[in-house]
Amino acid sequence: MKKSAKGIGLGATSAIAWGVDTVIIGIIIASTPFKEFVMLAPIIAAFMHDFFSAIWISLLMIVKGEFINVLKLYKTKSGAILVMGALAGGPLAMSFYFLGIQYAGVTYAASIASIFPGIGAVLAFFFLKEKMNGRTWSGVVLSIIGVIILAYVPTKFDTESTFFIGILFSLGAAIFWGLEGVIGAWGMRGKEVVPLYAINIRQITSALSYGVILVPLMGGYPLVFEAATSSIVWVIVIAGLLGTLNYSLYYSSIDLIGAARGQSLNNTYVFWAILTEIVFIGTAVNLQFIIGAIIVIVGSILVSGSVKRS
């Protein structure tokens, strides 16, 4: 009981960190020098976010004297599995998510990406053989209905095509985050793995894949250096710290109560993102958004609360 309560508490707290981080990400992308690079900015912001996050968690492991254990984990089967999860949830999911924020806005991107527990439950059903009952499938259907409601183009958008691009990017983020949760739970089954080791591998792998492959491929290092020498870099450093906090709590929650329930709790970040925007930015939220977001969250809770690990 104590283990379950701790897992629930950690998962719920991770959602607060990720919700606030989501809003900060939106601010970063809209700031100088990022705002002049529509397609490149989200990728560079994602790279810098995970780069600083990797530094934060690596410093913690060094201080604890356990960083050598993280490096040794790379040579194991569990480490290889965690690397796959990192690639899904890092460069793939984060890039899609940041692009979703760029084209559809924080509130829509956050809400649509929030169907990832439903996607994770479906993936777990097929690949991990987790049992799904009627409530679970009802939750998946509700999540899809919620996305359809959210994706209906409101009149305030000038170009429908741009908004739909953002919707597609956000859905991509949901798919890869759902996949990450399933792979992460699989990887942490190894006896040599603890959640902090797993998140250290996740952030290092993500940062390296951006820095070695995506950023050079897109010719993005001039923008990286420009951002690194501007005042916005300190906001990115803070965002990286929040990202580290979120994922550390999230992976710990998954380790304690399973991927489905951990994903469901982390999924409530959408409410914290909206609340942060309303309180600090003054963003107006219409009835369509409220209804769609509630349906998505209820669907995700049904999914996660009904899945049993075999």
Side-chain angles (χ1 to χ4, degrees):
M1 185 65 182
K2 288 183 179 180
K3 178 180 177 181
S4 178
K6 182 179 179 181
I8 291 170
L10 292 174
T13 307
S14 75
I16 300 174
W18 187 232
V20 176
D21 197 20
T22 293
V23 177
I24 293 177
I25 288 166
I27 294 172
I28 291 169
I29 293 175
S31 67
T32 303
F34 289 105
K35 65 180 179 182
E36 298 176 5
F37 300 88
V38 176
M39 284 298 296
L40 186 59
I43 306 300
I44 302 305
F47 163 58
M48 296 185 73
H49 176 278
D50 282 6
F51 173 78
F52 284 114
S53 179
I55 290 177
W56 281 116
I57 187 65
S58 296
L59 285 174
L60 175 61
M61 291 295 98
I62 291 170
V63 170
K64 289 168 65 70
E66 299 178 17
F67 188 65
I68 187 66
N69 297 332
V70 175
L71 296 179
K72 289 180 180 178
L73 191 57
Y74 271 103
K75 299 179 181 180
T76 67
K77 178 182 177 181
S78 295
I81 293 170
L82 290 169
V83 166
M84 289 192 296
L87 293 174
L92 290 171
M94 286 293 286
S95 294
F96 278 126
Y97 186 53
F98 280 36
L99 286 165
I101 291 173
Q102 176 77 26
Y103 287 105
V106 171
T107 52
Y108 285 94
S111 297
I112 292 164
S114 71
I115 69 167
F116 72 87
I119 293 172
V122 173
L123 292 173
F125 173 76
F126 287 108
F127 296 106
L128 298 182
K129 307 303 179 183
E130 291 185 350
K131 298 177 182 179
M132 293 176 65
N133 57 27
R135 284 183 58 192
T136 304
W137 289 115
S138 297
V140 173
V141 172
L142 273 179
S143 294
I144 294 172
I145 292 173
V147 168
I148 292 173
I149 293 173
L150 288 167
Y152 179 79
V153 182
T155 55
K156 67 177 181 179
F157 286 91
D158 297 327
T159 54
E160 293 185 3
S161 59
T162 299
F163 179 69
F164 276 118
I165 288 172
I167 296 299
L168 291 175
F169 280 133
S170 301
L171 284 172
I175 291 170
F176 285 111
W177 270 330
L179 188 60
E180 179 193 13
V182 173
I183 296 175
W186 179 26
M188 284 190 289
R189 289 178 178 177
K191 294 181 179 179
E192 69 274 32
V193 184
V194 296
L196 285 179
Y197 295 177
I199 186 58
N200 204 166
I201 283 182
R202 190 240 184 246
Q203 299 304 71
I204 289 176
T205 302
S206 179
L208 284 176
S209 61
Y210 277 119
V212 176
I213 302 173
L214 284 178
V215 175
L217 189 64
M218 300 183 72
Y221 270 110
L223 181 55
V224 171
F225 294 135
E226 186 177 351
T229 54
S230 70
S231 58
I232 197 65
V233 69
W234 299 111
V235 181
I236 302 174
V237 169
I238 294 172
L241 179 59
L242 284 170
T244 299
L245 179 61
N246 162 62
Y247 273 104
S248 298
L249 295 170
Y250 176 43
Y251 272 50
S252 296
S253 177
I254 287 176
D255 187 51
L256 290 170
I257 60 177
R261 294 180 70 191
Q263 284 183 329
S264 175
L265 289 164
N266 183 260
N267 185 49
T268 60
Y269 78 91
V270 63
F271 289 126
W272 295 104
I274 295 169
L275 182 62
T276 301
E277 277 209 317
I278 292 173
V279 174
F280 294 102
I281 300 178
T283 300
V285 179
N286 59 29
L287 182 60
Q288 173 190 332
F289 173 81
I290 293 173
I291 294 173
I294 289 174
I295 292 175
V296 166
I297 297 299
V298 170
S300 297
I301 291 172
L302 284 173
V303 168
S304 300
S306 304
V307 177
K308 297 180 180 179
R309 287 187 291 174
S310 44

